Amino acid sequence: MTGHGKAASAASADPARSLSEPAKRRMVIFLFACNILASFMQFLMNVALDHVAVEYHVRLSEANLLVLGFSIVAAVVIVMASSLLRRYGLKRMTEFGLIMAFIGSALGALAWCFPVLVAARLIQAITTGLFFPLINEALLRLSPKGKAGHLLAMDSGVIGVGMAGAPILAGLVITYWGLSALFAIPAVTALLLLIVSRFMLHDIEEHDPTQPIDLLSVALSLFGLGAFMVGLNEVSHLPLPMVGLMVAGIALLILFAVRQRALPRPLLDLSAFKNMSFSLGETLIFLSYMSSIYLSLLMPLYLEGVSGFSPFIAGCLLAPAMLSYAGFCFVSGKMLGRFGVWPLIPLGFAVCCLGFCGLMAGTRFGIVAIIVICMMVACCGIGMEYPAVKSVDLESLPPEVSSAGSSIHSTLVQIAGSVSSALFVGIMSGDVHRLMGSGMAKTAAYDAGFTVTLYLAVAFVVAAVALSLIYARHVRKVTRKGADGIH
C-alpha cells in the first residue's frame, strides 16, 4: 500500500483525522460552549433551594429534589452515554441533548407547581448526562498527541466558568424576576447552540448500529441510584423506612455491576477499575467533587438562611470561589506538566483542607469576609488537583477502554454530587425541621444544622489529603516503571 493509501485508510478508520485544524478548533470551541450550558443547568438551583422551599412550602430536603433528581438522571444517562455514542455518533447525540435542554428549560419557565418544576429538571439532566462524557471523549480524540491533559484541564475550567456564572445569574434573576425567567436563559442558549451545531459539529468516530442498549441495566441503575439517594436524602426525617430503601438501592446497584460483567457488550465497561491508578484517582475525584458540591450548595444555604442575604448577594459572594476554581483549572494542566503529580495533587488537597478549616472559624463568628476568602482558598485547591487527577486517570487507560473510563469518570462525578447533596442537605434539613419544630428561630436552626454538615465535610477532605499522598506515590512509582496495564 502506498503512503497516500495508508493515510487514506487511517483517516477512514479515524474520522477525527480527516478534519482540518480550523474545523477541529471550531468544534472544540463549540463543545466547550455545550459544556458551559450543561454545567450552568447543573448548578442552576444551587442558590435557589431556600427560595424554592419558601415559595412552594416544602422542606429543604424536598426542595433538594431539584438538585438530587437532576444528578440521579444525569448519572444514569452517563452510564448509557458510551453505548449511545458508538451507536448514534457524536453529532446526533449532541443535537438530541440540546433539544432536551430546550424542552426541559421551556417546561421550567412554564412550571405551575413543584412537581412540574422537578420534571423540568429531570429533562434538563439528560443533556448534562450526555454532554459530560461525550465531550470528554471527543476532546481526547481531537487533541494532538500528548496534549489531551491540556484540553481536559481547559474543559474543567470551562465547566468552572459555568459553575461561577450560575450562582450570580441565578441569584440575580431569582431575586428580581423569579424562577420562570431563570429557566428562559438555558432555553434560549440551547436553541442558539442547536442552530450553530449544523455548521460546527462533526462525527469523529465510526458508528456501530448494532451496539446494544441493555434496558435491564438501565432500569437497575435508575432504580438503584434513585432508591439509595432518596433514602439518604430523607433518612433524617424517616430513619427506618429510608434505611430500608437505601439497602434496596445498594442491592440493585450490585446486581447492575454483576450484570455488566456477564454481558458481552456491557452498558458500562467496569474493567477500567483493574487499573490501580484509575481506581485510586477516581476515589479522589469522588471526594474532591463532594467538597466542591458542598461549597456550591451548602454555603448558599448558610449565606441566605443564617446571614440573611438574598439569592443574588449569596451568588455574588460564592462567585469569587467558583472563579478561583475555574482559573486554577485552566493552568492545572501546565502545572501538572511542569511539577508532576507530586507535589501538585497532594498540595491541592492540602490547600482545600486549609480553606475548609478556615470556614469553621469564619462561620463560627459570622465574618463574611473570612468566609469568602476561605471559600476561595478551598476552591483554589480543588482547581489545582481535580483537573490533574482527571487527566492522569484518563490518560493512564489503554485506548480500547478510554471511552468506558470517561463514562465511569462522569458517572462517579454525578454520583458524588448526588451523595453530597443528599447527605449534607438531608442532614441539615432534618436538623432544621427538628429544631424549628421545638421552637427555635429559623436563623439559629439553619446555623446549627449547617455546623454539623461542615464538621462532616472537613472529615471527608482530611481523608482525601491522606489518600492523595498514597495516590501520588503510586503514580510516581508506575511512571518510573513505565507501565500500568490492565491485566
Side-chain angles (χ1 to χ4, degrees):
M1 183 180 292
T2 65
H4 179 76
K6 289 179 180 178
S9 176
S12 176
D14 183 6
R17 293 183 59 183
S18 65
L19 292 177
S20 66
E21 289 304 315
K24 287 182 180 180
R25 286 194 292 270
R26 289 193 297 269
M27 189 167 167
V28 167
I29 292 171
F30 177 81
L31 293 174
F32 282 166
C34 287
N35 255 357
I36 289 178
L37 172 64
S39 63
F40 180 82
M41 289 193 299
Q42 177 155 14
F43 294 97
L44 197 65
M45 292 288 104
N46 284 30
V47 298
L49 294 189
D50 185 60
H51 177 89
V52 169
V54 172
E55 181 172 330
Y56 288 95
H57 308 289
V58 295
R59 298 193 307 265
L60 270 179
S61 60
E62 293 171 325
N64 190 43
L65 290 175
L66 297 174
V67 175
L68 184 60
F70 187 102
S71 295
I72 292 169
V73 171
V76 172
V77 174
I78 287 168
V79 168
M80 303 167 60
S82 181
S83 296
L84 291 170
L85 176 63
R86 289 195 292 270
R87 182 163 181 166
Y88 298 109
L90 179 69
K91 183 176 175 65
R92 289 176 67 183
M93 294 317 303
T94 303
E95 290 176 345
F96 176 75
L98 291 171
I99 291 170
M100 289 297 100
F102 174 76
I103 292 173
S105 301
L107 182 62
L110 299 172
W112 55 91
C113 63
F114 184 68
V116 174
L117 195 63
V118 173
R121 289 289 289 163
L122 299 185
I123 296 171
Q124 283 184 326
I126 295 172
T127 301
T128 297
L130 283 173
F131 281 7
F132 283 172
L134 296 190
I135 291 174
N136 268 347
E137 179 64 17
L139 293 176
L140 284 170
R141 289 177 178 270
L142 290 169
S143 62
K145 188 175 181 179
K147 298 291 185 180
H150 177 62
L151 265 186
L152 290 173
M154 287 187 65
D155 184 49
S156 295
V158 164
I159 293 173
V161 170
M163 291 172 58
I168 298 177
L169 193 54
L172 174 65
V173 174
I174 289 171
T175 301
Y176 296 105
W177 296 287
L179 283 171
S180 294
L182 178 60
F183 278 88
I185 296 171
V188 173
T189 304
L191 187 60
L192 292 175
L193 286 174
L194 186 60
I195 296 170
V196 174
S197 70
R198 296 290 179 178
F199 310 100
M200 301 185 70
L201 195 59
H202 309 275
D203 279 325
I204 54 174
E205 69 293 305
E206 292 293 327
H207 294 188
D208 180 6
T210 65
Q211 174 66 38
I213 307 294
D214 185 57
L215 296 181
L216 180 55
S217 293
V218 174
L220 288 172
S221 62
L222 176 61
F223 291 111
L225 278 175
F228 179 78
M229 296 305 173
V230 171
L232 185 61
N233 189 56
E234 295 289 342
V235 70
S236 60
H237 295 283
L238 300 166
L240 192 57
M242 291 302 107
V243 168
L245 190 62
M246 290 167 66
V247 171
I250 292 172
L252 291 175
L253 292 175
I254 291 173
L255 288 175
F256 169 81
V258 170
R259 182 164 179 80
Q260 301 318 293
R261 297 187 65 181
L263 290 173
R265 301 173 76 179
L267 190 65
L268 185 64
D269 185 356
L270 301 176
S271 62
F273 282 118
K274 296 178 182 178
N275 183 306
M276 185 58 69
S277 294
F278 182 82
S279 297
L280 288 173
E282 289 306 299
T283 304
L284 282 175
I285 288 289
F286 193 95
L287 294 171
S288 176
Y289 201 75
M290 281 188 68
S291 65
S292 70
I293 291 297
Y294 182 91
L295 292 171
S296 66
L297 192 59
L298 270 293
M299 292 311 302
L301 287 177
Y302 175 88
L303 293 169
E304 294 172 44
V306 179
S307 300
F309 293 117
S310 68
F312 174 49
I313 299 301
C316 290
L317 293 175
L318 186 63
M322 298 296 104
L323 288 172
S324 298
Y325 166 78
F328 270 88
C329 281
F330 282 121
V331 300
S332 178
K334 293 182 179 179
M335 294 170 68
L336 179 63
R338 181 174 179 181
F339 300 109
V341 171
W342 178 272
L344 178 61
I345 291 174
L347 179 62
F349 278 102
V351 171
C352 177
C353 186
L354 178 65
F356 267 87
C357 290
L359 279 176
M360 290 194 292
T363 55
R364 172 68 179 82
F365 297 104
I367 305 174
V368 175
I370 294 178
I371 292 171
V372 172
I373 291 171
C374 289
M375 285 193 297
M376 291 177 65
V377 170
C379 283
C380 286
I382 297 171
M384 290 169 64
E385 45 83 3
Y386 178 84
V389 178
K390 174 182 174 181
S391 61
V392 170
D393 279 5
L394 295 182
E395 289 191 283
S396 71
L397 296 174
E400 60 269 18
V401 293
S402 65
S403 179
S406 180
S407 292
I408 289 171
H409 167 82
S410 298
T411 302
L412 284 178
V413 163
Q414 293 300 321
I415 293 174
S418 298
V419 169
S420 187
S421 169
L423 178 64
F424 295 126
V425 176
I427 290 173
M428 185 170 174
S429 173
D431 286 347
V432 168
H433 185 73
R434 174 176 53 83
L435 293 172
M436 289 182 67
S438 66
M440 184 179 287
K442 177 182 175 180
T443 299
Y446 266 56
D447 192 16
F450 173 82
T451 300
V452 173
T453 67
L454 183 55
Y455 282 121
L456 184 58
V458 169
F460 280 117
V461 176
V462 170
V465 173
L467 183 60
S468 71
L469 296 172
I470 299 172
Y471 175 75
R473 181 179 178 183
H474 172 78
V475 171
R476 289 179 71 194
K477 181 180 177 181
V478 167
T479 302
R480 283 196 297 266
K481 288 184 176 180
D484 185 26
I486 296 180
H487 302 292

